[in-house]
Amino acid sequence: QVQLVESGGGLVQAGGSLRLSCAASGSIFSINVMGWYRQVPGNQRELVATITSGGTINYADSVKGRFTISRDNAKNTVYLQMNSLKPEDTAVYYCNFLQFIATSKQVYWGQGTQVTVSS
């Protein structure tokens, strides 16, 4: 099992910045993917950004140039620096952890943290 603890959400004005953190603990293997997804009530959860343990990064087009994902492998922690925030970034942000053990895929989610951007 892997546990994820998120922090850093809140309320910010448009144009402002927030930084999210997610620390993973438990049965973690060295090769994994950590990332952030977000969800607005009534909509599907959508990808924001992911980063592999090797440093490969993927961003949703809507956040490219504004958000930066990074990780500290020694701390099993992933960060999401969100700049130039827009009201449409308002959502619950979920940390995601994925790893493969043999042929078995393990996926874990954090509890979610609310990000609200006021106009």
Side-chain angles (χ1 to χ4, degrees):
Q1 289 290 319
V2 174
Q3 296 77 43
L4 302 174
V5 178
E6 303 164 354
S7 61
L11 172 65
V12 66
Q13 288 188 331
S17 298
L18 282 174
R19 188 189 194 214
L20 306 182
S21 299
C22 174
S25 61
S27 300
I28 296 171
F29 287 77
S30 59
I31 299 174
N32 55 68
V33 183
M34 298 186 76
W36 295 93
Y37 291 70
R38 65 188 182 187
Q39 188 171 22
V40 175
N43 289 4
Q44 287 190 334
R45 193 170 295 187
E46 64 177 16
L47 168 75
V48 176
T50 60
I51 181 168
T52 70
S53 48
T56 300
I57 291 173
N58 182 44
Y59 291 107
D61 287 343
S62 60
V63 306
K64 283 181 181 177
R66 300 187 298 121
F67 292 9
T68 301
I69 190 170
S70 61
R71 64 185 289 168
D72 183 333
N73 287 336
K75 297 181 179 179
N76 292 316
T77 299
V78 64
Y79 307 95
L80 186 68
Q81 178 66 43
M82 304 185 292
N83 298 329
S84 302
L85 282 160
K86 304 175 181 179
E88 51 264 44
D89 294 317
T90 296
V92 177
Y93 284 69
Y94 294 91
C95 178
N96 173 268
F97 180 93
L98 182 154
Q99 65 184 2
F100 287 91
I101 301 176
T103 59
S104 173
K105 183 173 72 173
Q106 297 183 346
V107 181
Y108 299 92
W109 293 95
Q111 77 280 7
T113 184
Q114 178 70 46
V115 172
T116 302
V117 184
S118 63
S119 57

